Amino acid sequence: MKFFIDTANLAQIKEAQDLGVLDGVTTNPSLMAKEGISGAENVKAHYKAICDIVDGDVSAEVIATEYEAMIKEGEELAAIDSKIVVKIPMIKDGVKALRYFSNKGIKTNCTLIFSAGQALMAAKAGATYVSPFIGRLDDVSTDGLALIESIRVIFDNYDFGTEILAASVRHPMHIIECAQIGADVMTGPLSAMEALLKHPLTDIGLAKFLEDHAKANG
Ligand code: G3P
């Protein structure tokens, strides 16, 4: 399973990259705003800075919601760097835009997926990734992981090449369960990735090893 970090924070992206487990980055307009990035040129420069840190795909979301405007904005984003994946919302014009970019060989990430039907539409339109938001489904008492399972079955039934990018990941169990189900990618915060490597018995065991070594060696 690929690990993407879901942030526009350069320090956190660098930290995840340095950990050696990072396969890409996802951003969205809220995450860009959180970093205080505004204005078309600043936004483009920030995406370029992210691309310069990571080795993998970097999702950059269009703000436009009308087909022609999405195409123009998406082409501008794709021109920033070959790592850019154009992130498109799951709306009717977005589906058309997915097909356009797919035909042009430009990678896409269809975002705001909350149902299997939406994922199927995005895959049919040639999306590179679909992003089901599992945390936000859990927030409204709906089983986000069940949606990942359902999309996995559908994509496998028909050998869709579209990758399932489990988004809105909130904690390490989301990551583990997504891996068990067979999500192709997960995107989440650095804290969720780092939580995977922690276990109290590891800390206790290491402290004992170091203590015994110190005793034996003075
Ligand atoms: O980037 C899309 C998605 O991962 C958002 O997550 O935590 O805002 O629900 P969250």
Side-chain angles (χ1 to χ4, degrees):
M1 180 169 63
K2 286 187 263 188
F3 277 18
F4 288 1
I5 189 168
D6 195 28
T7 183
N9 182 280
L10 297 181
Q12 285 189 20
I13 292 168
K14 173 122 186 31
E15 202 173 331
Q17 175 67 26
D18 290 347
L19 196 55
V21 300
L22 193 66
D23 300 294
V25 176
T26 51
T27 63
N28 62 43
S30 301
L31 293 171
M32 292 292 276
K34 192 175 167 191
E35 298 307 312
I37 312 299
S38 63
E41 289 315 306
N42 289 338
V43 165
K44 283 180 192 168
H46 198 77
Y47 286 137
K48 181 63 184 160
I50 294 173
C51 290
D52 288 345
I53 295 171
V54 299
D55 291 328
D57 287 347
V58 175
S59 285
E61 187 162 342
V62 298
I63 305 301
T65 55
E66 182 274 324
Y67 175 73
E68 296 291 346
M70 276 183 180
I71 299 307
K72 182 174 180 296
E73 191 181 351
E75 285 186 330
E76 286 172 10
L77 290 170
I80 295 170
D81 193 286
S82 60
K83 294 171 189 167
I84 292 287
V85 173
V86 181
K87 203 172 182 187
I88 306 270
M90 172 36 79
I91 55 176
K92 196 167 177 182
D93 280 33
V95 172
K96 293 180 193 172
L98 290 170
R99 170 50 59 203
Y100 173 88
F101 287 119
S102 175
N103 288 347
K104 288 201 79 174
I106 292 173
K107 286 187 180 182
T108 53
N109 175 359
C110 186
T111 190
L112 293 165
I113 296 284
F114 292 96
S115 76
Q118 291 178 321
L120 179 56
M121 279 297 282
K124 288 284 294 174
T128 312
Y129 299 103
V130 288
S131 287
F133 280 26
I134 61 174
R136 291 192 194 184
L137 282 168
D138 289 356
D139 289 344
V140 294
S141 308
T142 305
D143 190 346
L145 290 163
L147 175 59
I148 301 290
E149 279 177 335
S150 176
I151 298 170
R152 182 74 280 157
V153 169
I154 291 168
F155 284 9
D156 288 350
N157 279 349
Y158 299 100
D159 283 334
F160 280 115
T162 301
E163 294 188 45
I164 302 172
L165 195 172
S168 190
V169 161
R170 301 275 170 78
H171 50 71
M173 282 311 294
H174 268 159
I175 302 177
I176 292 164
E177 285 170 318
C178 280
Q180 286 171 339
I181 293 165
D184 300 289
V185 191
M186 80 83 200
T187 190
L190 181 61
S191 59
M193 286 180 220
E194 289 185 337
L196 288 178
L197 62 86
K198 291 179 187 154
H199 196 286
L201 289 178
T202 303
D203 298 338
I204 292 166
L206 180 60
K208 178 71 175 146
F209 286 158
L210 295 178
E211 183 189 320
D212 290 346
H213 175 82
K215 275 184 200 157
N217 292 273

